[in-house]
Amino acid sequence: MSCPRIEIDLRKIRHNTRTIVARLKGRGIRVTAVTKAVCGNPAIARAMVDGGAAGLAEARLSNVKRLRAAGFTCPITLIRTPMLSQVDGVVSVCETSYNTELSVIAALAAAALRQNTVHGIILMVEMGDLREGIMPHDLCDTARRVVDMPGVELQGIGANFACLNGIAPTAAQMQALSFLANDVEGLCGPFLQTVSGGNSANLPWAFGGHATGRINDLRLGEAMLLGVDPITGDQIRGLYQDAFSLVVEVIETDANSARCVDLNLARLRLVPDTSETTRLLLAIGHQDTDAAGLSMAPGNTFIGATSDHLVLDTKDASFRVGSEMKFQLNYGALMRAMAAPDIQTNLRHDQAPPRARDVDGPGKHLALV
Ligand SMILES: *Cc1c(COP(=O)(O)O)cnc(C)c1O
């Protein structure tokens, strides 16, 4: 098998999704699966849909097109405000998009009219993360304009937390979002079918005892892929943390000698190694992933990385040139590795067991045609 490669255990992603979907169902919240960290990889998206996700969400139009080309017919929502230059493409492949700019919404409406369709709009509200969103006091006014615009339909509101500032949402902020949903309905009329509370950072709130109010959707990526809370890095109970592993090849070992620079002679020489560790050089670097976001088995120490190399010390004397070494990835490392052209993906447990779709009713979340 080629190196470097990412081994992806789809059974673990299905399990993680199913577990979160079941726990949130009891709280009246559905899961929209976010595939941006895996570049819209169709097999991973399928594992999430098989695990009970109600729909898919993506940040990039190119990834949505990849999903559509793979045959997905389920709803796909664009969660990054569309680029003005891409509105025609957005309308043709996404049922719905998250929006913060009226000029973009107007362009989406015009594109939808040209394509003889209606595009769904979810307004993103700024609730404190300071990345994107409409200020709460402007929300009703914007909502009214959307309602009056032919070609688009106001489907809901949403908020995003902890992306830019890394602070988890509070119960008070979530309640404020619920109240905003009621305000918009009171002033503009249409029932808001989606009130999307946020991302994986919202799970502690969602699993806690707080009233969920109007929040009926979360957009989740990291929790299902990596089984961790994005803010604390803590493992989420009952989920796998090792659905992904990065396998890298050793290209040099220093088994019998260590390197040092003899400053007197101002040249490099080899000296006998007195330590118990072996230095390994591996064929991966900053160009492929976030080297600092890799973790490895105990007994190995990260020394450094350059654009194409990773250097580490190991207490395991069995490594040779050509040996493979396995790493776990955090979100940043995974995201970059999945986008790296030189890293292959290797899928395991591709087929969902026949029972998998029964969790939320047979066929309900069937996405592939
Ligand atoms: C990335 C993103 C998500 C998903 O975040 P995770 O931490 O992977 O769950 C949800 N909403 C928006 C707007 C995003 O950009």
Side-chain angles (χ1 to χ4, degrees), residues 83-304:
M83 287 183 230
L84 205 45
S85 59
Q86 292 188 334
V87 289
D88 286 293
V90 171
V91 167
S92 70
V93 295
C94 297
E95 286 78 7
T96 306
S97 57
Y98 278 79
N99 284 272
T100 60
E101 290 284 343
L102 266 175
S103 58
V104 174
I105 298 170
L108 288 165
L113 291 176
R114 280 196 295 278
Q115 294 178 33
N116 205 15
T117 184
V118 175
H119 184 71
I121 300 291
I122 297 179
L123 294 176
M124 189 65 108
V125 193
E126 171 56 72
M127 302 288 293
D129 186 49
L130 305 180
R131 186 178 76 175
E132 79 253 67
I134 298 161
M135 296 309 286
H137 59 263
D138 292 331
L139 181 65
C140 284
D141 185 48
T142 308
R144 197 177 293 125
R145 285 166 193 250
V146 175
V147 169
D148 288 342
M149 226 181 260
V152 286
E153 178 194 33
L154 181 64
Q155 288 185 348
I157 63 172
N160 197 54
F161 295 91
C163 268
L164 193 60
N165 69 16
I167 297 170
T170 62
Q173 282 169 311
M174 301 313 290
Q175 195 179 37
L177 186 64
S178 278
F179 289 155
L180 281 172
N182 292 338
D183 290 351
V184 169
E185 281 174 3
L187 281 162
C188 309
F191 172 69
L192 297 181
Q193 56 195 69
T194 300
V195 182
S196 186
N199 56 40
S200 296
N202 284 68
L203 286 175
W205 164 81
F207 293 155
H210 313 287
T212 50
R214 292 291 308 271
I215 315 293
N216 63 4
D217 176 84
L218 287 179
R219 309 172 305 273
L220 304 178
E222 184 164 0
M224 266 121 62
L225 299 170
L226 296 175
V228 296
D229 178 314
I231 299 180
T232 60
D234 291 346
Q235 303 186 350
I236 300 173
R237 184 172 50 84
L239 303 191
Y240 290 106
Q241 281 77 44
D242 60 351
F244 295 84
S245 346
L246 180 65
V247 182
V248 184
E249 191 167 320
V250 175
I251 53 173
E252 187 186 303
T253 71
D254 241 356
N256 301 312
S257 55
R259 248 160 237 207
C260 80
V261 178
D262 183 328
L263 292 173
N264 289 330
L265 298 173
R267 65 186 167 92
L268 197 69
R269 63 186 182 110
L270 296 176
V271 296
D273 185 11
T274 49
S275 72
E276 289 171 4
T277 59
T278 304
R279 183 150 296 195
L280 300 178
L281 188 65
L282 293 110
I284 197 153
H286 291 312
Q287 196 161 63
D288 309 285
T289 189
D290 177 4
L294 301 177
S295 56
M296 52 208 140
N300 299 299
T301 312
F302 176 77
I303 301 296

